[in-house]
Amino acid sequence: MVVMMDILIEEAAKAIFYRDMVDGMIDAGWYDVWEFETEPNASNGERIRSKYKQKAVEHLKFIGAI
C-alpha cells in the first residue's frame, strides 16, 4: 500500500509539474527534471521534485485521494 501511495504522489507531482511547464510557469529546459541521468543540475532538480511532491500531496488530500 505504501509503495502504491508513493507512486501516486510521484505521478501526480509529474502531472502538476508538466501542467505548470505547459502553462509557462516553468522553463521548458527543466523538462528532464524527473530523470536523474539527464538532469542538468541534480540539487536543483531534487528541490523542484520535492516542491512538486508536496503540491501533489496537498492536491490529493484536497480531492480525497489520500
Side-chain angles (χ1 to χ4, degrees), residues 3-22:
V3 173
M4 291 175 58
M5 191 62 63
D6 289 343
I7 292 171
L8 175 65
I9 292 169
E10 179 82 13
E11 293 302 317
K14 285 181 190 178
I16 294 168
F17 175 79
Y18 290 126
R19 179 204 61 196
D20 286 353
M21 185 178 293
V22 169

Side-chain angles (χ1 to χ4, degrees), residues 9 12-13 16 50-66:
I9 292 169
I16 294 168
S50 65
K51 173 184 166 185
Y52 275 92
K53 284 182 183 179
Q54 182 60 35
K55 283 185 177 186
V57 168
E58 292 169 6
H59 177 73
L60 292 170
K61 283 181 182 178
F62 179 76
I63 64 171
I66 57 173

Side-chain angles (χ1 to χ4, degrees), residues 26-53:
I26 298 174
D27 181 28
W30 287 101
Y31 182 80
D32 290 333
V33 76
W34 298 100
E35 304 293 328
F36 288 103
E37 298 83 23
T38 59
E39 181 191 328
N41 186 335
S43 63
N44 287 340
E46 186 60 36
R47 191 172 61 246
I48 290 170
R49 283 188 295 274
S50 65
K51 173 184 166 185
Y52 275 92
K53 284 182 183 179

